[in-house]
Amino acid sequence: MQFETVIGLEVHAQLLTKTKIFCSCSTEFGAPPNTHTCPVCLGMPGVLPVLNRTVVEYAMKMALATHCRILPRCRFARKNYFYPDLPKGYQISQYELPLGVDGWLEIETEEGTRRIGITRIHMEEDAGKLVHDETQPVSYVDFNRTGVPLIEIVSEPDMRSPEEAAAYLRTLRDILRYLEICDGNMEEGSFRCDANISLRPVGSSEFGTKTELKNMNSFRNVQRALEFEVRRQRALLEKGQAIVQETRLWDAGRGVTVSMRGKEEAHDYRYFPDPDLVPVEIDEAWVEQVRSSLPELPDAKRERFVRQYDLPAYDARVLTASKDLADYFEAAVAAFPQPKTVSNWIMSELMRELKRDEREIEDCPVPPAHLAELLQLMDRNVISGKIAKSVFKEMYETGASAKAIVEAKGLEQVTDEGAIEAVVREVLAENPKEVESFRQGKEKLLGFFVGQVMKKTRGKANPKLVNEMLLKALKG
């Protein structure tokens, strides 16, 4: 029997507000344990939460960016469960009245463009963090993260492969980062994903029994966990065994999922409206105010790059993967208006160095103006393409400008025809057998002669002049 994979994702994005969702404690990451707490986020008796307006506006931005319908009235609810890192014994979330519903976004896959539905986007507070002592059976609780604002983005079960799930996550993160409301850092936990996955016979309209996957802290691990779960569930179904509805943890070291607990349903949490918080009413004027503040989003920027700069769709996709990279490209093009050349250098030389050093573009030691200056030197034949690459490497390592490096090392290209002609004669005189072979039809030897001339000029001879003079001398 052939099976179809059905995947839905629940994504938690930590919002980049300065203070928590219901109190004025800082949201700074990495502070000493339990230093960003107060009676409100610790759930002390007699305290009252006060909603952070910026949290609502950030959530509205994401809802609008993903084509959600913003409800005119949303309400907070208490999600009751007991765990050491949850000081109140409940989490303030939203249930029957979320902020946004019925949205969608489009993803690019090898099979083309697919639209993935978004069921809802709602606001909630984060829980604390347990730190386990590996030397003794003791766990410590850090409440700094308690009350940090989150939005949860719940997709429809529209994804049909682990690859589509990874593409959806990347697209979602790109939007969050363009909006500048979440840094999208999976390793630090500010962008977290739980996956629901099931299999069903091809052609069936009924969903199979799903499992929930947790503990996936990278796009690669999400895809690997889903791929393993597809194999595990298919093997069980082919043996006629039932799938157990449960929560499973991804063990990246072993490459397997392991059972954690039975999957909870909504009624297990005994949701009810939070009596300490009034409903949030959102009128059209507020919605339009937030809509007018939205930046150019990835899809729109991608289309503009193709239209305005005449770039291939692939280049546009790479360059708009992050807002900072897109801004870098446009700044470089403003100084050196040859978009395709700039794109080629960013996607090859620059991104290779960044990847090697595991750096983001915002930490790049080569500013856009310096890259543009290097390309101008190459365009004016001051340096050759080969020397430009070595100059770029030194620019990246030292932060110096292209002009300064070229002048300090005397790397200006030799364009003096008399000087190049003398080297050409010298090379031909030293290689009479190769000259004879070329004249008998082995024209591929031209590359050998070019290499010899470039070697003698330390790569500084103008390649175009070298080729012209060699052909003239060899065929003359």
Side-chain angles (χ1 to χ4, degrees):
M1 182 180 290
Q2 296 296 309
F3 294 100
E4 178 182 51
T5 302
V6 178
I7 298 170
L9 300 181
E10 299 170 5
V11 174
H12 288 88
Q14 181 179 315
L15 301 179
L16 290 173
T17 56
K18 293 180 180 178
T19 57
K20 295 183 180 182
I21 185 169
F22 298 119
C23 67
S24 59
C25 290
S26 171
T27 58
E28 177 194 9
F29 179 81
N34 300 308
T35 55
H36 291 331
T37 58
C38 73
V40 174
C41 55
L42 290 177
M44 298 296 185
V47 299
L48 289 174
V50 177
L51 179 59
N52 184 336
R53 181 185 178 92
T54 303
V55 173
V56 182
E57 294 190 339
Y58 281 7
M60 289 168 66
K61 283 186 176 186
M62 190 59 185
L64 291 169
T66 53
H67 312 95
C68 287
R69 176 168 54 90
I70 294 179
L71 299 184
R73 182 183 175 93
C74 66
R75 184 163 63 194
F76 287 95
R78 292 185 179 182
K79 179 180 180 180
N80 296 274
Y81 66 97
F82 301 97
Y83 207 66
D85 61 10
L86 196 67
K88 295 190 293 287
Y90 62 86
Q91 177 190 30
I92 301 177
S93 181
Q94 293 186 304
Y95 182 50
E96 82 283 10
L97 288 176
L99 180 132
V101 296
D102 303 331
W104 55 268
L105 58 79
E106 291 183 336
I107 62 171
E108 295 291 335
T109 68
E110 291 183 359
E111 286 73 38
T113 302
R114 286 212 59 216
R115 178 172 290 191
I116 307 299
I118 291 175
T119 309
R120 57 188 279 145
I121 293 178
H122 66 256
M123 301 171 283
E124 63 185 25
E125 62 178 348
D126 208 346
K129 181 182 179 182
L130 284 179
V131 181
H132 305 293
D133 190 332
E134 295 182 1
T135 64
Q136 54 183 326
V138 173
S139 293
Y140 303 95
V141 187
D142 180 4
F143 287 121
N144 281 348
R145 201 173 66 183
T146 303
V148 167
L150 304 174
I151 52 173
E152 182 172 356
I153 305 154
V154 182
S155 83
E156 290 289 316
D158 289 346
M159 286 155 271
R160 294 293 175 264
S161 71
E163 293 77 16
E164 287 187 2
Y168 169 86
L169 277 179
R170 288 190 176 93
T171 303
L172 207 59
R173 188 181 72 161
D174 287 348
I175 295 172
L176 286 163
R177 294 174 75 171
Y178 264 73
L179 293 172
E180 297 181 340
I181 63 174
C182 173
D183 63 20
N185 192 319
M186 292 191 82
E187 288 75 19
E188 291 182 0
S190 57
F191 184 73
R192 311 195 289 270
C193 169
D194 297 336
N196 293 296
I197 178 170
S198 64
L199 268 60
R200 65 184 177 188
V202 171
S204 173
S205 59
E206 294 185 10
F207 293 123
T209 303
K210 67 182 179 182
T211 57
E212 180 185 42
L213 303 183
K214 289 181 175 287
N215 197 39
M216 302 169 291
N217 64 352
S218 70
F219 296 118
R220 179 66 185 136
N221 276 330
V222 170
Q223 187 168 334
R224 288 178 62 209
L226 289 168
E227 288 169 348
F228 173 83
E229 193 62 15
V230 168
R231 295 193 299 270
R232 187 188 73 86
Q233 291 192 21
R234 182 186 290 121
L236 289 172
L237 293 171
E238 286 175 347
K239 293 176 185 175
Q241 299 178 18
I243 305 296
V244 176
Q245 181 168 331
E246 61 181 346
T247 298
R248 298 179 68 86
L249 291 180
W250 168 244
D251 184 330
R254 295 163 56 204
V256 299
T257 63
V258 294
S259 181
M260 177 187 177
R261 61 170 184 259
K263 176 73 175 96
E264 295 92 345
E265 299 291 351
H267 63 259
D268 293 321
Y269 293 116
R270 294 171 292 122
Y271 283 97
F272 65 87
D274 193 305
D276 292 337
L277 289 160
V278 297
V280 180
E281 296 190 349
I282 302 173
D283 59 21
E284 276 301 313
W286 194 6
V287 173
E288 291 309 312
Q289 177 191 335
V290 173
R291 194 192 305 275
S292 68
S293 72
L294 294 180
E296 184 181 37
L297 294 170
D299 285 348
K301 193 179 289 287
R302 201 169 294 129
E303 291 173 8
R304 180 171 66 80
F305 274 26
V306 171
R307 184 178 66 253
Q308 180 177 338
Y309 298 117
D310 197 26
L311 291 175
Y314 174 79
D315 291 38
R317 260 199 315 276
V318 172
L319 294 170
T320 58
S322 79
K323 183 176 182 296
D324 290 321
L325 183 60
D327 290 346
Y328 186 103
F329 167 77
E330 294 206 273
V333 168
F336 181 72
Q338 293 187 26
K340 181 56 180 167
T341 302
V342 174
S343 172
N344 289 344
W345 273 76
I346 289 175
M347 292 194 303
S348 57
E349 306 304 315
L350 180 60
M351 293 184 74
R352 182 191 303 122
E353 297 296 328
L354 292 174
K355 184 176 180 181
R356 186 197 66 190
D357 291 351
E358 297 182 346
R359 277 179 167 175
E360 296 294 333
I361 187 67
E362 52 265 38
D363 301 320
C364 178
V366 180
H370 282 191
L371 176 62
E373 182 183 76
L374 174 69
L375 299 181
Q376 286 165 354
L377 293 175
M378 190 172 67
D379 189 56
R380 298 201 308 265
N381 290 322
V382 175
I383 57 175
S384 67
K386 184 176 181 181
I387 285 180
K389 290 183 178 182
S390 67
V391 170
F392 178 83
K393 194 169 183 62
E394 188 164 339
M395 289 166 61
Y396 185 90
E397 291 170 353
T398 66
S401 71
K403 190 175 181 182
I405 294 169
V406 169
E407 288 178 353
K409 295 198 167 185
L411 298 175
E412 293 89 346
Q413 193 164 243
V414 176
T415 55
D416 183 310
E417 292 188 15
I420 294 175
E421 188 177 1
V423 177
V424 167
R425 284 199 303 268
E426 185 181 337
V427 167
L428 297 184
E430 291 174 355
N431 298 280
K433 289 183 180 178
E434 286 77 7
V435 170
E436 186 61 31
S437 296
F438 180 90
R439 287 173 175 163
Q440 289 177 1
K442 292 186 178 180
E443 295 193 356
K444 288 184 179 180
L445 283 168
L446 179 63
F448 164 76
F449 293 121
V450 170
Q452 293 301 305
V453 173
M454 298 306 285
K455 184 177 180 181
K456 284 182 177 290
T457 61
R458 292 183 298 165
K460 294 196 289 183
N462 182 296
K464 185 180 177 184
L465 285 176
V466 170
N467 274 273
E468 290 173 356
M469 290 186 176
L470 278 169
L471 286 172
K472 183 179 177 181
L474 287 164
K475 294 184 176 180

